[in-house]
Each structure stands twice: as structure tokens, then as C-alpha cells.
Amino acid sequence: MGKTKYSLTENLIIKSNMPSVGIVSSNPKRAERIAYSCLQDVILLTEYQSAWALDIYIGKYKDKFVFVAGVALGASGASFAIQQLASAGAKVIIRYGSNDNPGITKADMAKVILVDSADNLVGLMHANGEPEQDWGKTLYADTELVAQLNKEFKKSGLNVEMAICHHVEDLVAYNYPVLHPNYKQISNQLEKLYLNQATKLHCRDMETAALFYRAKIDGFVAATVLQNIPKIPGKNQVYYNEVGETARQMEPRIAKVILDVIVPYSDEHEISSKVAYVKLDENNVKEHLGQINDEDYSLAKIKEIGDGNLNQVFRVNMPDKSLIVKQSLPYLRCVGEEYLLDKIRIKYEIAYLKIAANLCENHIPRLYYTDDKKMMVIHMQDLNKHQLMRDGLINGIKYPNFAQHIAKFLATMMFKTSRNYLDLKCHVELIKTFNDNTLRSLTENFIFTFPYIEHETNYKNLPHRFSFKFRNNMKFLLDLFATSTETLSHGDLHTGSIFINEEETYIIDGEFAFMGPAGFDLGLLIANLITAYIHHKNLSANPKSKDIQSWLITTIEEIITNFAIEYKKLSIEN
């Protein structure tokens, strides 16, 4: 079979020229971590929209453009992605994968595996029209590339082991034999492959075979680097416990050696701003707004006002109006760029705010523009006549309408996104929309887990203060949080997510939104009000604090009472 005939314009997914060198990984989170820990001026290509998982990051390494791509699992999916990259200009591709093995020790993790050959690729070669006599024949990495990687890894202090990868058509069947009747056949097949190369380490890596095959027919050079990972069978977390943390720390070390080897081969490359995620700042917000509409923003004054943990927020003041521009960042802002987060989370916030605005229009800021595909932004109403409720409470301000407003909002959202109101199809659609939100793991960690154990994020580590009964109750609540899909929850409803004045109450944010247990938002908010009460109790010498304490207790009681009234009313009416 010859080189791929069609061009970039005929690519199904990738529609822009690629840098000539890069790394591919079948773990999208690893690809994201490598991009943001090793490269500068990183962008995520967004000109294509596909349900198929293909994330391509472009950035600079030593002033040269490279790409890091997260591609689909499996030989066929990897082959398709790699062919797309080759058609778009990739000339050197390194696969950064995992040698998954539960028996790997911490000492083993300082060893890097270099794959110089692969075999047993039958199905894909068959599907691509190769002659039958060639099916499964050995495929090879680029020898010069392997030699350079070997040399540089050893110079960096890492041990290197050479390996051959065996493509297994049904890897899941091999790893979980009880699930598949053909396990014995697959096992025998592997034993024969092992005997052919008795002197090398044997790995089962489907994507490597696909990579070497595409390199052969599309004319680029390739090699595979595998990291020893202590993958625990049956666990959904690859980076598990202490050895898992070691694996995470090894990633940038390994990735930088790979980049050092391939970056000299990088050609000149230009990025089109039309296809890129660009981090906003006070200097480029006007340009961003000008790309959205034809208004004149030359006189606008831009100020970054975000004080949250996750996002950046800009106030845009113009002579006749103002608005807010919010953008999600690819890391946890309050910690820094080393704590990576998925910036696509803003799609959950946009979806939540639109549903909430439809059900409770008076309590959601107006949305002027939303983008959850490219720039990950929301343009919305500037609530400049309101303040964060948290700030108001700290200063002893009371809000007479809050209990009634929030009780009605919570009752409406809880009832009208549940099976008490929705038919099964609509309820299932909500679950599909929200329940792959990765921010749920932050809630699981920081609300249900870390505070009750010894952990570096705690101000004080006092796990002995929690009784067995308390821990049991917490486990029950964690299980409920993780499994229930009763109703749509804001997920982070506290006084820092509420803008308020004496007449109006607005709910903001929403990136933590998920389908979860009824009452989660109500409980979280009341817990936050109790925290405010404790804060003021510790300031009892201040006359304002006694007054606000009394108001907080009354408000909690009124929220619970009004919520029950509003929910019962909705139940009767519907």
C-alpha cells in the first residue's frame, strides 16, 4: 500500500497545518499535562468539532513549534489520528505511552522503555488492503530516532530497556480473562510472539503497531517511549497512591528528553488565531470582543476582577454600558499552572446557566454570548449594583429577601430537573449532559475526603477528632454523591457564588454542575451559612457580629421553611 493520497483539505478532522514534530498519547490527560508543563504559549486547536476524542495542543519548546496530541485508544483509532497528523504536515511522531503493570515497583519507574519494533498487526493491515502474506509482519521504528532517544535518556540519568510491542486485537480479553471465552486462544497467540523475540522486553501496545504501520506507508519517522505505570486492575485511577504520584512526576522529565530529541527537526510554523484557544488578559480582551461583533471597543476600559479559584474574570466598562467576560483556564488558578484542569468545564456552566435562566429568570445574570468550543468564554450582565454575599456577610450586612429568593430558586431547580417533573427521556438527557464533569472529583476530594484525613491541603491535620460513626456517615454521603442522579445541582452553591443586594439575588458560576442527590445544594449552602455564623461568633466583641449571628440563624430557619412550602406548592401544581 502506498502513501496516503489525499491532502489536508480532505482531512476529516484536522483542518490546519501541524508543526512537523510532536508527541502523541492515548491518555488525553497526559497529553494536556505535557503540553502545559513543558511548552510555552500553548493553544488547543478548536477548528474542528467531533465527538471523537482528539485533542491537539500546539506550543513552543526552545522557541520551536511542536504539537502534543491526545488520540483515541486502539489501533484503528490511533491509526486514523496519526494519518490525519501526517497529512497535516507531521514528519516526526513519538508515541508516549504506558507499560501498564500492577507489579511495577517504585524503583522500576526510573526505567524508560524504548520500542524499536512491533508485530501481529493483522486487522488494520487487512482493512487497509495489504497482501495477506504481509499481515502481522514485524514493523520497525526509525533506527536513528531510537538511537538518539536511547543516548539522551541515559545522559539524563534514566535507565533504558529495549522492547518489542505485540499488538493484541482484544487486549481487554487478555487482561480480564473471565470476561472472554477466547482468552486461551489470545494467551497462546502471545506465547508464540514472545518466543520469537526472547531477548527483549515484551509489551502489549496496540497503538505502537498502528504508529509504525502508518510511518511505513505515509513516509514520516516514528518511535515509541513507554513509561512504567503501576496500573491497578479494576481501578479507574491509573496514578494510584505513592507510586502513582511518582509516575506523574516522571512525566515532564521523560517528555522533555523526547522534545529535546525531536525539536531540531521542527520546521517553521505559524498559528492561525481563528483556530486557537488564547488566554485572555487586559491587553487582548478588546481584540477578542471585536472578533465577536462590530461594536467599537476603543474607549473601553478593561480590568481583571476575578478572585475565584478556577477562572479569570474581566469587567469591560464602556461609555454607555458594561459587561463581564469570564474565561476558564486550563489549571487551578489559586494553585498555579502545575495543577491542571480541563478548561472545557465551562460548557457545564453555560448549560447550567441556560437551564436555570429558563426556570428562574430573575435569579440568573443575562447571558450575551457563550463559547464552549474555542475560547471557553461567557459574556454576561455586569452585576455592578450588587456584591458577593460573602463580602456582605463579612461586613455584617443583612439581606431581608434572601431566604425567600434562594428557597424558591432551590425548590424550582430541584423539582423541575427531577423525575417528579421530567419524563424519562429528558431526565436521561440531563444526565448525559452533566455527568462527565471532571470537577466532581474536586468536590469529592475537598468536601468528602481530604478534610477528614491527614492531607497537605488541610490547615491542621486532626483526623483523630472524627469518630467511627462520623466517618461512616461521611462514607454514606460520599457514595450518595457519587451515585445519585436525582436532580440538577449547581454543585458549588455558597455565599461566594451569590451576587446580592437588598432587593435582588443572583446565582453565578455553575461549572461544578452535575446531576446528583436532591438537597445537595441546599445542604452545601446551609453549611456555608453556619461557617459564617461561626466566623462571627469568634468576633463576638464586635457589636455587628452579634446582630449578624442572630440574622444568620433566622435565615437558615426561613430557608428550610420556605423551601418546603415552595416544593410542596410545585408538587401540587404539577
Side-chain angles (χ1 to χ4, degrees):
M1 184 176 181
K3 182 176 170 64
T4 299
K5 301 297 183 185
Y6 60 83
S7 64
L8 172 64
T9 57
E10 297 168 299
N11 264 0
L12 294 177
I13 304 292
I14 301 175
K15 298 297 185 181
S16 59
N17 286 312
M18 287 288 101
S20 55
V21 302
I23 296 171
V24 296
S25 174
S26 54
N27 181 336
K29 285 297 181 184
R30 173 186 284 146
E32 185 178 45
R33 287 193 296 266
I34 290 171
Y36 287 107
S37 64
C38 298
L39 308 184
Q40 295 180 323
D41 303 325
V42 178
I43 63 164
L44 171 64
L45 291 190
T46 55
E47 81 276 22
Y48 55 81
Q49 302 302 329
S50 172
W52 185 65
L54 176 57
D55 297 328
I56 301 175
Y57 302 88
I58 295 179
K60 287 184 177 179
Y61 185 80
K62 296 184 176 179
D63 294 324
K64 294 275 193 169
F65 278 110
V66 301
F67 67 84
V68 181
V71 306
L73 292 168
S76 296
S79 177
F80 174 57
I82 290 162
Q83 180 275 321
Q84 295 272 298
L85 289 165
S87 293
K91 298 177 182 177
V92 180
I93 301 176
I94 304 291
R95 165 162 163 73
Y96 183 165
S98 301
N99 180 36
D100 300 328
N101 188 330
I104 288 171
T105 66
K106 195 171 181 179
D108 293 330
M109 296 173 69
K111 185 182 293 183
V112 176
I113 298 168
L114 268 178
V115 182
D116 63 359
S117 55
D119 60 16
N120 200 43
L121 185 68
V122 175
L124 187 62
M125 297 176 83
H126 179 193
N128 278 275
E130 296 287 349
E132 186 172 354
Q133 63 268 23
D134 292 338
W135 297 353
K137 279 189 175 180
T138 303
L139 300 157
Y140 296 97
D142 181 80
T143 54
E144 183 179 343
L145 201 55
V146 170
Q148 286 181 282
L149 287 165
N150 194 354
K151 178 182 176 182
E152 293 303 317
F153 277 124
K154 289 178 178 177
K155 278 175 62 177
S156 72
L158 293 170
N159 297 321
V160 178
E161 187 167 8
M162 303 305 297
I164 180 171
C165 277
H166 306 297
H167 173 265
V168 183
E169 297 285 354
D170 196 339
L171 187 60
V172 173
Y174 185 82
N175 284 334
Y176 302 95
V178 295
L179 301 179
H180 204 288
N182 292 332
Y183 163 70
K184 194 66 178 175
Q185 178 182 336
I186 295 169
S187 181
N188 290 339
Q189 180 186 18
L190 275 169
E191 289 301 320
K192 291 178 182 178
L193 293 171
Y194 292 168
L195 290 173
N196 291 338
Q197 292 279 354
T199 61
K200 283 186 179 179
L201 177 70
H202 298 273
C203 299
R204 303 188 297 274
D205 193 68
M206 299 180 288
E207 293 84 4
T208 289
L211 173 66
F212 293 177
Y213 175 56
R214 290 254 56 116
K216 176 184 175 182
I217 65 175
D218 285 341
F220 61 87
V221 298
T224 287
V225 175
L226 298 180
Q227 178 184 358
N228 279 327
I229 298 288
K231 190 171 186 179
I232 311 300
K235 298 283 185 182
N236 59 9
Q237 175 56 267
V238 173
Y239 296 96
Y240 191 69
N241 291 344
E242 183 183 355
V243 287
E245 185 58 34
T246 301
R248 191 186 294 275
Q249 292 170 3
M250 286 287 291
E251 276 185 356
R253 187 177 174 188
I254 293 171
K256 286 176 182 177
V257 172
I258 295 172
L259 291 167
D260 283 336
V261 169
I262 65 175
V263 78
Y265 300 97
S266 178
D267 295 338
E268 293 298 319
H269 185 78
E270 291 185 2
I271 300 293
S272 169
S273 63
K274 294 181 180 180
V275 301
Y277 169 91
V278 178
K279 181 183 173 183
L280 294 177
D281 56 40
E282 291 183 351
N283 298 316
N284 62 14
V285 169
K286 290 183 185 180
E287 180 184 355
H288 161 69
L289 289 167
Q291 293 172 349
I292 305 305
N293 55 54
D294 297 328
E295 289 191 52
D296 181 7
Y297 293 96
S298 59
L299 299 178
K301 294 181 179 179
I302 313 296
K303 184 178 181 182
E304 214 283 317
I305 60 170
D307 65 350
N309 294 329
L310 303 176
N311 311 292
Q312 51 187 7
V313 182
F314 302 89
R315 173 170 280 127
V316 181
N317 274 314
M318 293 178 284
D320 58 340
K321 61 181 179 180
S322 64
L323 74 148
I324 297 296
V325 175
K326 177 178 180 178
Q327 183 185 45
S328 62
L329 294 170
Y331 52 83
L332 187 59
R333 174 177 173 164
C334 64
V335 175
E337 296 191 19
E338 68 274 15
Y339 198 113
L340 298 176
L341 289 175
D342 187 353
K343 61 182 172 292
I344 202 70
R345 65 185 182 271
I346 205 166
K347 76 177 183 180
Y348 304 107
E349 177 170 5
I350 291 169
Y352 176 85
L353 291 176
K354 287 182 176 180
I355 291 169
N358 184 51
L359 297 176
C360 306
E361 182 181 11
N362 294 334
H363 298 301
I364 299 295
R366 290 190 298 278
L367 304 181
Y368 305 133
Y369 173 82
T370 62
D371 172 11
D372 63 358
K373 302 294 191 297
K374 176 185 172 184
M375 288 294 290
M376 314 303 169
V377 295
I378 302 173
H379 301 177
M380 70 181 91
Q381 177 185 358
D382 183 6
L383 299 172
N384 51 13
K385 295 181 181 179
H386 306 72
Q387 71 176 147
L388 278 178
M389 188 176 183
R390 177 181 58 209
D391 296 340
L393 290 181
I394 289 172
N395 293 318
I397 299 174
K398 296 177 287 187
Y399 301 100
N401 294 310
F402 172 67
Q404 182 180 355
H405 288 170
I406 200 67
K408 186 170 184 177
F409 174 83
L410 289 171
T412 303
M413 291 298 294
M414 188 185 299
F415 181 81
K416 292 195 173 182
T417 60
S418 74
R419 284 286 284 124
N420 291 327
Y421 182 79
L422 298 174
D423 62 30
L424 179 60
K425 181 180 179 181
C426 292
H427 195 255
V428 169
E429 284 302 313
L430 281 180
I431 295 171
K432 288 180 180 178
T433 299
F434 288 98
N435 272 29
D436 59 349
N437 189 346
T438 56
L439 289 188
R440 291 183 70 175
S441 63
L442 288 182
T443 306
E444 182 174 320
N445 288 336
F446 289 98
I447 292 182
F448 292 104
T449 307
F450 292 166
Y452 319 108
I453 61 175
E454 288 194 14
H455 196 269
E456 61 185 359
T457 59
N458 293 330
Y459 174 65
K460 291 182 179 180
N461 278 312
L462 300 169
H464 60 276
R465 289 193 174 185
F466 301 104
S467 68
F468 175 78
K469 185 175 181 181
F470 181 95
R471 292 171 184 272
N472 235 24
N473 287 339
M474 186 52 62
K475 183 179 184 303
F476 168 76
L477 291 174
L478 174 56
D479 289 344
L480 190 64
F481 170 81
T483 59
S484 174
T485 55
E486 290 179 299
T487 188
L488 179 59
S489 299
H490 177 280
D492 194 32
L493 189 61
H494 52 78
T495 55
S497 301
I498 298 169
F499 264 90
I500 195 167
N501 59 28
E502 290 190 356
E503 289 81 33
E504 296 175 309
T505 302
Y506 285 95
I507 312 302
I508 61 169
D509 297 337
E511 59 259 81
F512 281 82
F514 72 106
M515 289 294 285
F520 179 80
D521 283 347
L522 179 62
L524 191 63
L525 177 63
I526 289 174
N528 197 241
L529 294 175
I530 292 171
T531 302
Y533 172 86
I534 294 169
H535 166 77
H536 281 285
K537 190 173 179 62
N538 292 333
L539 301 174
S540 55
N542 185 336
K544 275 189 177 181
S545 289
K546 284 190 176 291
D547 193 30
I548 199 70
Q549 283 179 67
S550 176
W551 181 83
L552 283 164
I553 293 298
T554 301
T555 296
I556 291 170
E557 293 172 347
E558 289 179 353
I559 289 172
I560 295 171
T561 300
N562 288 336
F563 173 83
I565 292 170
E566 292 291 342
Y567 196 89
K568 184 176 181 180
K569 182 181 176 183
L570 287 165
S571 300
I572 293 171
E573 290 176 350
N574 296 279

